[in-house]
Amino acid sequence: MTDIDPRVQRALENLPEGDPAARARARQSALDALPLTRRAHRPRWRFAIAASVGAVLLAGTALAATDRLDLRLGKPTLAKPTVVAEQPFGQVTVPNGAEGLAVVAGGRLWLKTAGGLGVQGLAVTTAELSPNALYVAVGIDDSLVAMAPDGRRAWTHDAGGRVTEVAWAPNPIVVAYIVRRGARHELRVIEGNGDNDRLVDADVGDARPSWRADTLALAYVGADGLARVVNYPSLAATPVAKTSPAAVAYAPVGDLLAQEGRGPRLRIRAATPTTGFDLELGVRIEKLVGLVWAAPDTLVVVGDEGPQTRLWAFSTTPVLYAKSTGSRFLPTIDAVSASPTPRRLAVGVPVGAQRQVWEVAVPEPGSDQRLTPERVLLRLPASTGPIEVLSIR
């Protein structure tokens, strides 16, 4: 380098002149900075250094005169944009107010509890969390297995076939499960410690059974398509209206039993042993996805209405409470479950190249709107397969 950098030169040319005394002091300071022994025979590059030092000092005098120095060299440095990272695949977020969330997708289990324990990708046929998420009951091979949330097995029961449905009672002393035996499905109950396995019905429909809030009754769908209820622990049958439901669900409190009727029209029946009502909505349901209680007085039904999926919410008054559809942006809802947080649901949906579990609000009265996530609770690659089970405690 034999001259001042042209960029420095151009920047300095635009600075105001300092006073003569200041320039003289700057020049003398630059000369004094050179070694005394070589001052008489200075190479040209030393003059360049001195000139550069002087330029900086002159800039200082200009700063004193203008109270501002704005010297930029090279390209401006741009601030890096803030990037919000997506939730990693397989990382479960527990819904607000819940003790745990278990998801079965493509025959594999993803589970996490509020305490941080979890399981990722375990091969299972179905799953259900116990109350307070202390255990999870799963089907593995031809066995019913109770595990702690970290995957440690508490007990294993040889079921003699593929376990397709599990329902852990509100009082966790008992678990109901359905096992496939050849062309039939059996409904059985087993105590929460893995003992005293008993047959309830040797031929039932493959629909998830539902426990009454007090654990003293169990509702299910028989092989003939009719709803049935048995008392527990006697397993004695109790009378049920002659309906043909695709699903049954007891309310979280009391003895109100909801049944989603089979047939070309969506028909809901909610009844106690002495009272009840029927509500028919004039839409055709091609496939029922789920029937759950979002609150003690709010029943949610999800089903495919032709090419789109709809979610309806009903009050138990009975009045059409609300309906919502995701048909404008997503083709299906795979599964639905209620969250302990009032008026919140979890739904499994396909989104582009992913399968996701969303936390959503129950629609407001009279609304007809698309479902949108308040939070994403789980992301999985689409290749994982559809979400088959959602269990929240």
Side-chain angles (χ1 to χ4, degrees):
M1 177 176 175
T2 57
D3 295 298
I4 300 176
D5 188 301
R7 294 173 297 172
V8 176
Q9 181 66 42
R10 286 194 299 271
L12 294 175
E13 286 174 354
N14 295 324
L15 293 174
E17 292 284 343
D19 62 87
R23 292 200 303 273
R25 289 195 300 271
R27 181 178 181 279
Q28 187 60 47
S29 296
L31 294 174
D32 290 343
L34 298 174
L36 294 175
T37 57
R38 300 292 301 274
R39 194 175 295 175
H41 303 283
R42 302 182 186 100
R44 192 173 181 183
W45 64 268
R46 296 231 183 242
F47 282 106
I49 294 175
S52 297
V53 174
V56 174
L57 293 173
L58 285 172
T61 62
L63 177 62
T66 63
D67 293 328
R68 181 175 182 270
L69 177 62
D70 189 9
L71 181 61
R72 297 186 179 94
L73 302 179
K75 296 180 180 179
T77 302
L78 300 178
K80 293 183 178 179
T82 302
V83 178
V84 179
E86 278 195 350
Q87 181 183 25
F89 282 159
Q91 179 177 305
V92 179
T93 298
V94 179
N96 291 327
E99 295 294 332
L101 168 64
V103 179
V104 178
R108 296 193 174 272
L109 172 67
W110 280 264
L111 179 154
K112 188 175 181 181
T113 66
L117 299 178
V119 173
Q120 288 191 331
L122 178 67
V124 300
T125 58
T126 189
E128 169 78 348
L129 285 168
S130 74
N132 300 315
L134 298 178
Y135 293 95
V136 60
V138 298
I140 297 179
D141 298 326
D142 286 345
S143 298
L144 177 67
V145 180
M147 300 189 309
D150 60 359
R152 176 181 53 83
R153 294 194 181 193
W155 50 263
T156 299
H157 173 73
D158 184 3
R162 178 186 175 93
V163 177
T164 61
E165 301 286 348
V166 180
W168 209 307
N171 183 335
I173 60 173
V174 62
V175 179
Y177 68 98
I178 292 176
V179 57
R180 187 172 64 200
R181 296 185 185 275
R184 296 181 297 106
H185 290 84
E186 287 184 359
L187 174 61
R188 308 185 70 90
V189 293
I190 188 170
E191 293 181 359
N193 59 3
D195 293 335
N196 198 22
D197 181 74
R198 292 191 290 164
L199 176 67
V200 177
D201 193 324
D203 196 5
V204 301
D206 190 18
R208 184 177 180 272
S210 178
W211 288 97
R212 201 166 68 191
D214 58 8
T215 311
L216 297 180
L218 176 67
Y220 64 98
V221 178
D224 56 3
L226 299 179
R228 285 178 167 76
V229 174
V230 294
N231 295 327
Y232 184 82
S234 70
L235 302 185
T238 58
V240 176
K242 296 293 185 180
T243 59
S244 300
V248 291
Y250 269 114
V253 297
D255 56 358
L256 194 62
L257 176 64
Q259 306 168 45
E260 193 282 321
R262 297 179 186 272
R265 300 294 178 185
L266 175 62
R267 184 170 181 268
I268 303 298
R269 176 172 176 79
T272 68
T274 57
T275 63
F277 68 83
D278 291 284
L279 177 65
E280 183 170 321
L281 190 63
V283 296
R284 182 179 296 273
I285 295 295
E286 304 292 339
K287 175 188 174 184
L288 177 72
V289 175
L291 176 69
V292 298
W293 290 86
D297 62 350
T298 305
L299 182 65
V300 170
V301 180
V302 177
D304 292 343
E305 181 190 359
Q308 67 185 18
T309 297
R310 280 185 177 261
L311 182 151
W312 291 269
F314 304 94
S315 73
T316 53
T317 42
V319 174
L320 176 62
Y321 196 64
K323 64 179 180 179
S324 178
T325 176
S327 60
R328 281 174 280 173
F329 72 102
L330 92 122
T332 60
I333 297 176
D334 292 335
V336 61
S337 181
S339 174
T341 303
R343 300 188 59 75
R344 291 293 182 272
L345 300 169
V347 294
V349 295
V351 180
Q354 298 182 21
R355 295 279 177 171
Q356 298 183 3
V357 177
W358 291 356
E359 185 176 14
V360 301
V362 176
E364 292 300 318
S367 66
D368 188 1
Q369 62 196 39
R370 69 179 187 179
L371 293 178
T372 55
E374 295 187 347
R375 289 196 305 166
V376 176
L377 304 176
L378 176 65
R379 301 177 193 270
L380 296 170
S383 59
T384 303
I387 294 170
E388 302 154 1
V389 176
L390 290 174
S391 176
I392 304 175
R393 291 289 188 173

